[in-house]
Amino acid sequence: MAKNTAEILRVNHLKKYFSVPAGMLHAVDDISFTIDNGKTLGVVGESGCGKSTMGRAILRLHEPTSGEVYFQGKDVLSLEKQGMKQLRRDMQIIFQDPYASLNPRMTVSEAIAAPLLVQKIYSRKDKAQIEKRVREIMNLVGLANRLINTYPHELDGGRRQRIGIARALALNPKFIVCDEPVSALDVSIQAQILNLMADLQDELGLTYLFITHDLSVVKYVSDDILVMYLGQMVEKAPSEKLFKKPMHPYTQALLSAIPIPDPDLPMNRITMKGELTSPVNPGIGCRFAKRCPFAKDECSQQEMVLTEEEPGHFVTCLRVQRGEI
Amino acid sequence: MSELLLDIKDLSIIYSTEDGVVRALNKANLQLHKGESLGLVGETGAGKTTLARGIMRLIPNPPGKITNGEIIYEGKDLLKLKDKEMRQLRGRKISMIFQDPMTSLNPVMTAGDQIREVILTHDPGLSKKEGRKKAEDMLEMVGINASRYDDYPHQFSGGMKQRVVIAIALACNPTLLIADEPTTALDVTIQAQVLEMIHDLKEKNNTAMLLITHDLGVVAQNCDRVAIIYAGEIVEYGTLRQVYKNILHPYTEGLFGSVPSLDTTSKRLNAIDGMMPDPTQLPKGCKFADRCKFAEKRCLENEPELIERADGHKVRCFRYEQEG
C-alpha cells in the first residue's frame, strides 16, 4: 500500500491547567509535535505525568487552556459545536479500562451502533443496514457474530476491549487516540489486541496516538516516541533511536528500569531518587532536577528549551545542550 | 542445595458459587527452599492468588474450600494446625504482601501504628514504647523517615504505601514472604526501587520468597526458580535458566511470545489464540489443549502428569513423556 507521509496532526504549545485549591495544576505544559499520516506516535510517562490529559485535550474532551491543534490543516480549537461534531467522525478514542468504558445496559450491537446513530449516518429505522454495518465492524475486530446481543458483563476483558475498538472504528476515522488500550489486559490477550491494532492500521491506514506506561509495548507499536515528565515533553525521537541512544537522564532511568525477561542480561539500573513531585505551581527550571543525578544549580534557575540534537531527536536538557552526552 | 522450607503436595482448592464449582487450583505441587526466591507466573484467573492465600489459610470459607493436599512448612502440615497455632505463624513466620497498597492499609490508623500492631501482636512482652521504637526502625529500613510514623496512609504516595506494607510484612523477620503482585500497581521506576529493596532485605534476613506476578521480566531479575501456572495447574517448574533458556511447555512458549521484545523489530507478536478455559467447566484432558498447536487426540482425552526430567526441570505435557 502506498504510504501517504503527509502530516495529519499538528499540536503547537498545547497547555492544559486545572485550577485546584492549592493553585494551578500544570497537567500539560507547552507540548508541540506532529504526526504523519498512517504513523504511530507513542506517548510514555509515569502515572500522573499528563499523558491522558494531553490525549483528551487534543480531542477537546478537556478544553485546552491554550495552544493550537491542527487536524489535516483544520484549526480544531476554533471549531463551533457543529463543526466539532463533524470532525469527531475522523478523530476517535479508545479508552483504557474496558470494564468502565462500556455502558453495562447496552448490548454489543447497541454499543457499536451508538456512534452511527449519534452522527446520523443511519436513522433508527434503518435496522437492517445498521445491523449489517455492526456485523461488518464486529468481523473487522474479531468479535464472533453470535455475541451481537450479549451484554458487556458476559464478556471477558479482551472481548470488551474489542468492543471499545469497534466503537472507535464505526465511523471510519482517520486518527485514533489510544489511551492505554492494553494495560488492563493479560499478556496473552494484550498480544492479541496489539496484533489486531497493527493489522487495522495497515488495512485502514489509521494514525495512532498511543498512550502507555509500558515501555516494551511502546517500542513495539510506535514509529516515534514522546517521553513526558510532569506535563512536559522531555524527549522525542524515532523509536529505534530513543532506545538505542536515550539522551535525557529521565529517559535513561526509565529505560534502565524495565525488567528484561532474560536471566543472562543483568540490568544496569539507574536508580532515581524519590518520586514524581507535584505538578501544582511547578515554578521555573527543569522539573526533573530534584531527582536527576546530574542536576546543577542552573537546572532550577532557567526555563528548559527543546532542542533538536540530531535529525528528529528532540530533547530538553542543559547537560545535552552543553554537549556532555 | 539448601534445605526444603515449604513443600506443597497435590493442593486443590475449590469455590462453590451459584454458577457451579470453580476448580481454582488442581493438585498443585510446589517446593521452596530456605532463602530462595520462587516466581509464580500466570495470567488473571490462573489460581496464583488462590495458591498464596491457601498457604496462609486465608481462603474465605464459604465459598472457598481446600479439598485435597498438604502444605508442609518446616516439617509440619499447615492444614492440620489449629486456628490459634496458624494465627501465631501468620505475620511472624509467614507473611504476605498484598497486591494493592491502596486497599491493604487501614485508612484510619497511622502507618507507624499499623507496623507496631504486628510487632506487639507477636511479642506481647514489649511495651508500647519499645514497639514504637521497633516500628520506627522498620520504617527507616524501608527507606521512610521515622518522623513519618504518625502520618496516615493517604499522606503517602503509592510507592511509599507499598513500602509501609513491606515493613509490616517483614517486621517479625519471617522465614517465608509471599509477595502477591507487589509492584503491579506501581510505575516502572518505583517498581525498580521497591524490588531492589525487597531483594536487599531478603538477602539480609535470608528470607525465602514466593513472588507472584504476571511479569516475566520481574521474575528474571529477582528469582532463582520459576513455576508457570495455567488454569489451576503447575505446567512447568524449574530453575530460572531451565525455564527461560529451555522452554518446554507450549503455554510457556506462548507467554514468552506475547511479550513485546525490546531488541527485535518484528511487527507481529506470537500471540496465543483463544482464552483460558472456564474454571467451572474445565476440559477433560490437558487444560491447554484447545489453544495448543501441538495438541493430539490423547491431549483432549487424558490429563498429562507433571513429568520430571533428569535435570529436575518439570513439565506437564505429553510431548516429553518418552524421556521419562
Side-chain angles (χ1 to χ4, degrees), chain B residues 213-282:
Chain B
T213 177
H214 60 265
D215 189 329
L216 290 161
V218 167
V219 171
Q221 303 300 333
N222 295 284
C223 295
D224 310 305
R225 280 170 199 275
V226 194
I228 311 282
I229 184 168
Y230 183 78
E233 287 179 346
I234 306 290
V235 296
E236 188 161 355
Y237 173 87
T239 64
L240 193 62
R241 185 147 285 108
Q242 282 169 349
V243 176
Y244 278 65
K245 294 292 172 180
N246 182 21
I247 299 174
L248 297 179
H249 199 280
Y251 173 65
T252 315
E253 202 183 312
L255 215 50
F256 275 92
S258 299
V259 185
S261 156
L262 286 173
D263 37 51
T264 58
T265 44
S266 93
K267 269 293 155 204
R268 271 192 83 78
L269 296 168
N270 295 312
I272 324 170
D273 286 334
M275 270 161 296
M276 205 148 61
D278 180 349
T280 61
Q281 292 159 14
L282 286 179

Side-chain angles (χ1 to χ4, degrees), chain B residues 1-147:
Chain B
M1 179 165 302
S2 57
E3 222 177 307
L4 200 63
L5 179 70
L6 181 75
D7 191 5
I8 300 172
K9 293 179 185 164
D10 291 333
L11 187 66
S12 297
I13 298 175
I14 60 161
Y15 296 99
S16 310
T17 66
E18 277 177 18
D19 303 326
V21 175
V22 175
R23 288 160 59 200
L25 202 63
N26 305 303
K27 295 201 169 176
N29 285 286
L30 215 56
Q31 290 81 38
L32 185 57
H33 300 265
K34 275 199 176 140
E36 190 184 71
S37 297
L38 171 69
L40 181 64
V41 183
E43 297 180 82
T44 314
K48 304 188 295 287
T49 302
T50 299
L51 176 64
R53 287 175 177 263
I55 299 170
M56 296 287 276
R57 280 184 47 193
L58 288 174
I59 301 284
N61 180 9
K65 200 170 172 231
I66 298 177
T67 55
N68 187 47
E70 295 177 339
I71 303 172
I72 313 288
Y73 170 79
E74 291 187 331
K76 272 179 292 184
D77 186 354
L78 294 184
L79 298 180
K80 295 209 173 82
L81 291 184
K82 294 199 179 75
D83 284 353
K84 198 180 160 197
E85 294 169 314
M86 192 63 213
R87 266 204 301 278
Q88 283 170 352
L89 222 59
R90 264 187 224 125
R92 174 186 282 174
K93 293 284 204 168
I94 309 177
S95 327
M96 187 155 173
I97 300 173
F98 294 92
Q99 176 167 1
D100 188 353
M102 321 298 160
T103 53
S104 52
L105 289 172
N106 184 343
V108 293
M109 198 170 168
T110 66
D113 280 349
Q114 297 191 48
I115 303 173
R116 183 170 67 178
E117 189 185 24
V118 194
I119 296 169
L120 293 183
T121 305
H122 289 293
D123 198 348
L126 286 182
S127 72
K128 281 196 159 180
K129 215 170 174 181
E130 288 164 326
R132 181 175 175 122
K133 180 78 196 48
K134 275 192 107 176
E136 284 175 349
D137 291 346
M138 286 310 297
L139 275 178
E140 293 279 353
M141 197 172 87
V142 296
I144 299 175
N145 201 312
S147 65

Side-chain angles (χ1 to χ4, degrees), chain B residues 170-218:
Chain B
L170 294 177
C172 295
N173 267 331
T175 50
L176 173 61
L177 175 68
I178 300 173
D180 187 3
E181 308 245 11
T183 56
T184 305
L186 306 176
D187 279 314
V188 33
T189 58
I190 309 299
Q191 162 173 302
Q193 290 174 0
V194 168
L195 286 174
E196 206 158 302
M197 193 191 74
I198 293 180
H199 180 80
D200 292 347
L201 296 176
K202 212 182 93 21
E203 292 288 295
K204 213 166 92 189
N205 304 324
N206 197 29
T207 312
M209 175 166 73
L210 178 66
L211 177 68
I212 297 173
T213 177
H214 60 265
D215 189 329
L216 290 161
V218 167

